């Protein structure tokens, strides 16, 4: 892993570090964004971002990391996908992972680092540069390993209320034929105590997938709440680690993709870049 990630250290990153202060225009940025997000840049020449997406299970890390990956032209590497691919294989690792996941426990650092190392080696062989990591690091040990071998430019921490996260996880469905993911949950959380409400429409499948939907074995209320509890216990030191380094941006999702995506781009100073990309298409 160290050999592969050291290659990324020499890559240019989207945002350079600096002393310029930043005043958040996006009301859903709940902590002061890192100072290097102070100005928009011409990312057509500097695309090798090295970002990390944090957030509780079900918050939508994969959705937004994938969209940014496509927008910026860098690989989206989700450790959850790496684990699911390993689960689908045969052998001792698959059986070990199956037991861990079904009990709602977190996969060990050793297993995650091994899977990520193999993925980065494969990407390097294909000429990939830069990355958006989704689901890694999850522990201080993982963060220290990552920090020893490469520079992380930005850590985006996506946030949603716990009751919304539980509903989202319980509503997840996958078509066992085409493999696409959907969500049947209709979320309408009323605002209270000065906090805004959150509304999310379901992401329903097309008619041909409706009868083929399956639920993940670990998406039960008991397991989901256990995963959230474990995540919250382990994430606080990790968030503080990146906050002290001035690299953490906490972003409260205001709703579903239609509401959240434009706000996230604004917070990342990428809203004008998407417009340029659309115009050039």
């Amino acid at each position: 892993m160290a050999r592969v990630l050291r290659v990324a250290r020499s890559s240019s990153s989207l945002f350079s570090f600096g002393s310029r202060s930043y005043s958040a225009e996006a009301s859903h940025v709940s902590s002061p964004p890192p100072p290097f997000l102070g100005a928009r840049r011409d990312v057509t020449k500097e695309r090798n971002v090295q970002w990390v997406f944090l957030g509780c299970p079900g918050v939508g890390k994969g959705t937004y990391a994938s969209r940014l990956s496509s927008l910026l032209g860098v690989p989206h590497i989700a450790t959850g996908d790496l684990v699911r691919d390993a689960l689908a294989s045969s052998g001792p690792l698959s059986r070990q992972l199956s037991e861990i996941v079904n009990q709602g426990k977190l996969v060990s650092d050793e297993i995650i680092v091994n899977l990520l190392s193999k993925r980065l080696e494969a990407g390097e062989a294909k000429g990939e540069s830069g990355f958006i990591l989704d689901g890694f690091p999850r522990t201080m040990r993982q963060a220290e390993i990552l920090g020893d071998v490469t520079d992380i430019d930005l850590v985006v921490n996506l946030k949603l209320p716990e009751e919304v996260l539980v509903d989202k996880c319980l509503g997840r469905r996958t078509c066992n034929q085409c493999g696409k993911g959907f969500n049947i949950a209709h979320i309408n959380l009323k605002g209270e105590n000065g906090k805004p409400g959150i509304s999310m429409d379901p992401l329903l499948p097309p008619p041909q997938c409706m009868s083929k939907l399956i639920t993940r074995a670990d998406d039960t209320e008991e397991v989901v709440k256990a995963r959230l509890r474990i995540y919250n216990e382990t994430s606080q030191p990790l968030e503080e680690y990146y906050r002290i380094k001035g690299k953490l941006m906490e972003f409260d999702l205001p709703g579903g993709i239609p509401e959240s995506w434009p706000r996230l781009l604004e917070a990342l100073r990428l809203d004008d870049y998407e417009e340029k990309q659309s115009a050039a298409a």
Side-chain angles (χ1 to χ4, degrees), residues 1-211:
M1 180 176 181
R3 182 182 66 80
V4 175
L5 286 178
R6 283 199 182 95
V7 176
R9 182 181 291 276
S10 63
S11 301
S12 61
S13 61
L14 174 59
F15 297 109
S16 61
F17 291 88
S19 58
R20 185 185 293 112
S21 62
Y22 174 78
S23 175
E25 295 177 2
S27 61
H28 294 277
V29 177
S30 57
S31 64
F36 50 87
L37 288 180
R40 292 177 173 84
R41 289 180 172 270
D42 180 5
V43 293
T44 58
K45 297 180 180 179
E46 301 177 71
R47 300 176 66 140
N48 300 321
V49 305
Q50 295 177 187
W51 288 356
V52 167
F53 267 65
L54 299 180
C56 288
V59 76
K61 297 184 297 294
T63 297
Y64 296 103
S66 178
R67 281 177 166 244
L68 286 167
S69 168
S70 298
L71 181 66
L72 299 175
V74 296
H76 165 216
I77 302 176
T79 52
D81 290 342
L82 299 181
V83 170
R84 281 187 282 276
D85 288 344
L87 275 167
S89 63
S90 58
L93 179 58
S94 177
R95 291 192 293 272
Q96 181 183 3
L97 286 171
S98 180
E99 181 178 349
I100 292 171
V101 170
N102 289 335
Q103 292 177 358
K105 297 180 180 178
L106 295 179
V107 180
S108 70
D109 292 343
E110 180 180 3
I111 294 175
I112 292 294
V113 168
N114 181 51
L115 292 173
L116 181 59
S117 176
K118 292 179 179 178
R119 169 61 182 85
L120 290 170
E121 288 175 357
E124 181 187 15
K126 295 188 295 185
E128 289 180 351
S129 178
F131 50 77
I132 297 178
L133 297 182
D134 165 9
F136 185 93
R138 283 189 317 209
T139 66
M140 281 300 302
R141 183 185 176 203
Q142 291 177 0
E144 290 165 354
I145 292 172
L146 189 61
D148 284 343
V149 296
T150 192
D151 293 322
I152 296 300
D153 305 324
L154 176 67
V155 178
V156 181
N157 187 24
L158 300 180
K159 304 177 76 174
L160 277 173
E162 181 171 326
E163 58 190 290
V164 174
L165 290 167
V166 172
D167 287 345
K168 283 190 66 182
C169 288
L170 296 182
R172 291 191 292 199
R173 299 291 187 274
T174 303
C175 176
N176 65 3
Q177 181 170 324
C178 70
K180 291 183 179 180
F182 306 98
N183 200 302
I184 64 172
H186 189 110
I187 295 169
N188 188 16
L189 179 67
K190 294 182 178 180
E192 57 182 18
N193 299 324
K195 295 183 179 181
I198 295 178
S199 178
M200 296 184 184
D201 292 329
L203 180 61
L204 298 176
Q208 63 269 25
C209 295
M210 188 66 73
S211 63

